[in-house]
Each structure stands twice: as structure tokens, then as C-alpha cells.
């Protein structure tokens, strides 16, 4: 499937979509569409892809189409209208949505496309922009078995691990719970370290010891040193998108009847952080609010 003769399209060249599309452009005959067209033009010039003027044009003639937009709502809207993606998709095509989406909307999209003979899989990814650049993402797929088998060779272009989680929506559910835990770890790390620094423990020594102890996490091992202790706060994954993931996970918890008092509080705190820090803040910057409230900086 993933060879230069296969026509593919990628829609949504954002922070993570763009490096994913770069890998696909090396292996496939790729068309790109982006809401802000200039980004698609720059991508196409640099990576040898074609620019599609509309989502319909991107889908036309493509065997496989990938989308990576902020939420499932934008993906669903992209299908609509005479210039929409659905109008361009031919029977037999495959739509792989790499958005961290929500299960009910993904199921609705799958049912809608099935009526046209188009297969759908929710394929959210984990590993961040650095994982996308390195081609080492983890992909969590929700699809029937036949669609998963068709999706895998395409997804291999930018992934090290591709897992079939269950039917459509199961990939989104897995991703939402993963990110809910990331959100919880960010807050817990910030609160604990604000207290340690105020108590006079050097932040760098505390981080080294934590990372050799049982409370460590991806936040302490992968994010804290380079983003918090350095005071750099790079912007790679918007806090607004993580807040959206937390809401999706809360929807799943409600739907399944799990009361989840801890995670509901994480949801409230991230809603507050989004309201205060805005749409462009990075996800780790939630810790800045904790620092502000505690009157301390976690540096070292
Ligand atoms: P960005 O905000 O960087 O990019 C969003 C993309 O969607 C841009 O191409 C943007 O176009 C486009 N877009 C936004 N609104 C619309 C719309 N209404 N119609 C059409 N296109 C639209 O997001 P990311 O790339 O960071 O995230 C994309 C998805 O991947 C999200 O679901 C996110 O949760 C997930 N994700 C992100 C990770 C990361 O590290 N960044 C990690 C793992 C998952 P334009 O250029 O015009 O703004």
C-alpha cells in the first residue's frame, strides 16, 4: 500500500500533522490540504507534494486519506458540502483520522462513510512532535480487522508501534485516557515540586531522585527537565488540545459509569488553566499557574 504509486492525501499540517505528512511524502504520491493554504504551499514546495485547493480535490483519486485536525468536530465538518472531503472520496477509499478524536463522532463519521463504501479508522497518535519527526509514534487504532490490515502499512511511515484497540472509537478512547493521565501527572508534578522547592530542596536534585524512585512518570522523565526546570516552556502541544482530551476521557468515564472523583478534578483544573492561559499556551504551562499560586519557581 505505502509505495510511491499509491495516491494519498493529508489534511491538517499542524504541529504534529506536518512531520507525519513529511514521512508520507517520502513514500507516497501525496496531495496536501491545509485551512491556511500558505502552509500547504510551503510544505509542497519543500517535500515534493501537490497542493489541493479544497478537501474534495485532496480526496479525489486518493486510495488513502489522512486527517489530523484539532477535534473530531472539525473532521466531521470537513466532509460537508460540494467542496468537502466526502464529495471527493471514491468507493473503496480509506480515511485514517489521526486527530485525537472522540468516540461518538468517530462512530458517526464511520457510519456515514460506510454508506459510500469508504472505510474509516480512528488512528490517534502518541509521542509528540519529536516522535512525529523521528517517525517513532505509537498509533492506537479503532477499526474492523480488515480496515486495520489496510491501515497498518500506511501508518508504518511515521510509527514504531501500531495497535488495534478494538472497533471504531476504541483508538480515541485509549488516547483520551492516556492524555487524561498525562494531564494528571503534569498537575501532580507541579504541586509536589512547588512544595519541595518551598521546603528548600533543590529542584534538580529532587528530579534526579524522583527519576530513580517509584513516583516517576513521563512528565518527570521526559518533560520536566527540558521544559520546567530549564524555564524554556517550548510550545509543541497546545494546552487547549489536552483540555479537550481530558473532556473526551470524562465523557467516557461518565458513559461507563465510573465516578472518577480524581479525574473530574483534573478536568476542572485544566478548564481553569485553559481559560487563564489561553489557546496558544503549551500543555506543560499548567505548571506555571501552580507556580504563580504558590509564589515559587521550579528551576534548577
Ligand atoms: P495544531 O493546532 O498545531 O494544528 C491544527 C491543524 O488543524 C492545522 O493544520 C489547522 O489549520 C487545522 N485546523 C484548525 N481548525 C480547522 C478547521 N476548522 N478546519 C480545518 N482545519 C482546521 O494542532 P496539532 O497538530 O498539535 O494537533 C492535531 C491533533 O493531533 C489534535 O487532535 C491533537 O490533540 C493531536 N495530537 C497533537 C500532539 C502534539 O504534540 N502537538 C501529540 C499527539 C496528538 P491552520 O494551519 O489553518 O491553523
Amino acid at each position: 500500500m505505502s509505495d510511491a504509486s499509491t495516491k494519498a492525501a493529508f489534511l491538517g499540517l499542524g504541529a504534529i500533522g506536518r512531520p507525519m505528512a513529511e514521512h508520507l511524502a517520502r513514500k507516497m504520491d501525496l496531495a496536501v490540504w491545509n485551512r491556511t493554504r500558505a502552509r500547504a504551499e510551503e510544505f509542497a514546495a519543500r517535500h515534493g507534494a501537490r497542493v489541493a485547493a479544497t478537501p474534495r480535490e485532496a480526496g479525489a483519486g486518493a486510495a488513502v486519506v489522512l486527517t489530523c485536525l484539532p477535534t473530531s468536530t472539525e473532521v466531521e465538518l470537513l466532509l460537508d458540502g460540494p467542496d468537502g472531503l466526502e464529495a471527493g472520496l471514491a468507493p473503496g477509499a480509506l480515511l485514517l483520522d489521526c486527530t485525537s478524536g472522540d468516540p461518538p463522532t468517530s462512530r458517526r463519521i464511520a457510519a456515514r462513510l460506510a454508506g459510500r463504501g469508504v472505510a474509516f479508522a480512528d488512528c490517534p497518535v502518541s509521542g509528540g512532535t519529536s516522535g512525529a519527526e523521528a517517525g517513532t509514534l505509537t498509533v492506537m487504532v479503532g477499526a474492523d480487522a480488515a480496515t486495520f490490515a489496510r491501515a497498518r502499512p500506511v501508518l508504518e511511515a511515521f510509527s514504531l508501534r501500531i495497535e488495534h484497540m478494538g472497533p471504531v472509537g476504541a483508538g480515541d478512547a485509549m488516547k483520551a485516557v492516556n492524555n487524561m493521565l498525562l494531564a494528571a501527572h503534569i498537575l501532580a508534578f507541579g504541586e509536589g515540586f512547588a512544595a519541595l522547592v518551598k521546603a528548600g530542596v533543590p529542584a534538580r536534585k529532587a528530579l534526579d531522585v524522583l527519576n530513580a524512585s517509584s513516583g516517576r512518570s513521563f512528565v518527570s522523565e521526559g518533560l520536566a527537565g527540558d521544559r520546567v526546570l530549564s524555564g524554556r516552556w517550548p510550545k509543541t502541544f497546545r494546552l487547549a488540545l489536552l483540555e479537550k482530551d481530558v473532556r473526551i476521557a470524562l465523557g467516557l468515564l461518565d458513559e461507563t459509569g465510573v465516578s472518577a472523583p480524581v479525574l473530574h478534578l483534573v478536568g476542572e483544573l485544566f478548564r481553569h488553566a485553559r481559560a487563564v492561559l489561553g489557546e496558544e499556551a503549551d500543555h506543560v504551562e499548567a505548571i506555571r499557574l501552580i507556580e504563580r499560586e504558590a509564589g515559587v519557581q521550579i528551576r534548577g
Side-chain angles (χ1 to χ4, degrees):
M1 168 67 92
S2 52
D3 64 71
S5 63
T6 305
K7 281 184 102 176
F10 199 101
L11 295 89
L13 301 170
I16 196 145
R18 184 190 166 91
M20 289 161 69
E22 285 179 25
H23 289 285
L24 287 164
R26 287 187 207 119
K27 298 182 84 174
M28 304 174 96
D29 173 6
L30 191 71
V32 289
W33 178 87
N34 194 65
R35 181 182 61 173
T36 304
R37 187 185 164 112
R39 293 201 177 116
E41 281 169 356
E42 194 222 320
F43 180 96
R46 192 178 292 193
H47 302 290
R50 289 169 287 114
V51 177
T54 62
R56 176 186 182 141
E57 194 181 306
V64 57
V65 175
L66 296 95
T67 43
C68 192
L69 301 182
T71 76
S72 294
T73 304
E74 284 87 25
V75 178
E76 196 170 31
L77 288 170
L78 202 71
L79 298 172
D80 292 344
D83 284 331
L85 179 59
E86 186 175 354
L89 292 171
L94 173 62
L95 176 59
L96 305 178
D97 182 23
C98 297
T99 305
S100 300
D102 72 86
T105 309
S106 285
R107 287 193 285 267
R108 206 161 55 232
I109 293 172
R112 173 174 169 180
L113 294 178
R116 294 177 64 94
V118 173
F120 175 88
D122 44 309
C123 304
V125 302
S126 185
T129 53
S130 56
E133 281 155 20
T136 57
L137 292 172
T138 296
V139 193
M140 309 157 194
V141 183
D144 60 49
T147 302
F148 177 70
R150 290 174 65 197
R152 181 192 273 283
V154 180
L155 300 169
E156 276 170 355
F158 47 73
S159 319
L160 270 190
R161 180 165 188 164
I162 302 163
E163 290 289 342
H164 188 196
M165 303 312 301
V168 169
D172 288 337
M174 178 70 230
K175 173 67 185 175
V177 169
N178 177 77
N179 278 24
M180 161 66 89
L181 294 175
L182 168 65
H185 291 159
I186 288 170
L187 296 176
F189 176 88
E191 291 177 1
F193 269 60
L196 282 173
V197 171
K198 287 188 97 166
V201 179
R204 174 59 60 181
K205 181 171 267 188
L207 186 62
D208 288 348
V209 172
L210 176 65
N211 283 337
S213 305
S214 52
R216 68 186 184 274
S217 65
F218 174 70
V219 173
S220 68
E221 292 180 323
L223 299 179
D226 190 36
R227 292 166 180 254
V228 183
L229 271 66
S230 69
R232 275 196 333 116
W233 310 105
K235 295 190 193 301
T236 62
F237 175 40
R238 293 190 294 119
L239 184 146
L241 293 173
L242 184 54
E243 190 276 326
K244 167 266 301 178
D245 294 331
V246 171
R247 258 186 298 119
I248 294 169
L250 288 176
L252 181 72
L253 290 160
D254 286 348
E255 198 185 300
T256 50
V258 178
S259 64
V262 171
L263 298 179
H264 276 282
L265 186 54
V266 171
E268 253 175 58
L269 292 168
F270 261 85
R271 251 196 320 281
H272 172 70
R274 181 175 180 173
V276 173
L277 296 171
E279 294 300 295
E280 299 306 322
D282 184 72
H283 63 308
V284 182
E285 290 186 76
I287 291 175
R288 294 183 111 158
L289 280 190
I290 295 167
E291 289 183 336
R292 210 179 284 172
E293 276 156 28
V296 69
Q297 291 200 324
I298 305 164
R299 302 286 178 275

